[in-house]
Amino acid sequence: MAAGTIRYWAAAKSAAGVAEEPYTAETLAEALAAVRERHPGELTRVLRRCSFLIDGNPVGTRAHETVRLAEGGTVEVLPPFAGG
């Protein structure tokens, strides 16, 4: 298991109630499943519209189960922003 930091931005930050929190997971899918458990409700709805950066690299359309997380890494949770 890798440990790192999840950072929430804009509506995701508001829905989570925190700017960041730690993760312990092998994949993005595992990290997001844990987030949904900790923050049921609004954040779960917001996550459906988010894009993600892993250590500065966009996830894009890759299946979250295939996106490996690194020890000490960072997951950025980016909801859509007005204006692009």
Side-chain angles (χ1 to χ4, degrees):
M1 288 285 194
T5 302
I6 297 176
R7 290 191 185 136
Y8 301 105
W9 297 95
K13 180 179 173 181
S14 178
V18 296
E20 63 182 46
E21 63 186 345
Y23 71 74
T24 303
E26 291 292 325
T27 67
L28 178 58
E30 290 174 11
L32 293 177
V35 164
R36 289 181 189 99
E37 270 188 37
R38 284 192 303 274
H39 305 282
E42 184 61 22
L43 183 57
T44 297
R45 287 184 287 280
V46 170
L47 288 175
R48 291 185 203 130
R49 301 184 313 267
C50 288
S51 58
F52 304 93
L53 297 178
I54 307 298
D55 300 326
N57 298 307
V59 171
T61 60
R62 290 182 288 161
H64 295 170
E65 296 81 16
T66 67
V67 179
R68 310 283 300 167
L69 300 178
E71 181 67 29
T74 302
V75 176
E76 307 277 351
V77 180
L78 306 168
F81 292 95

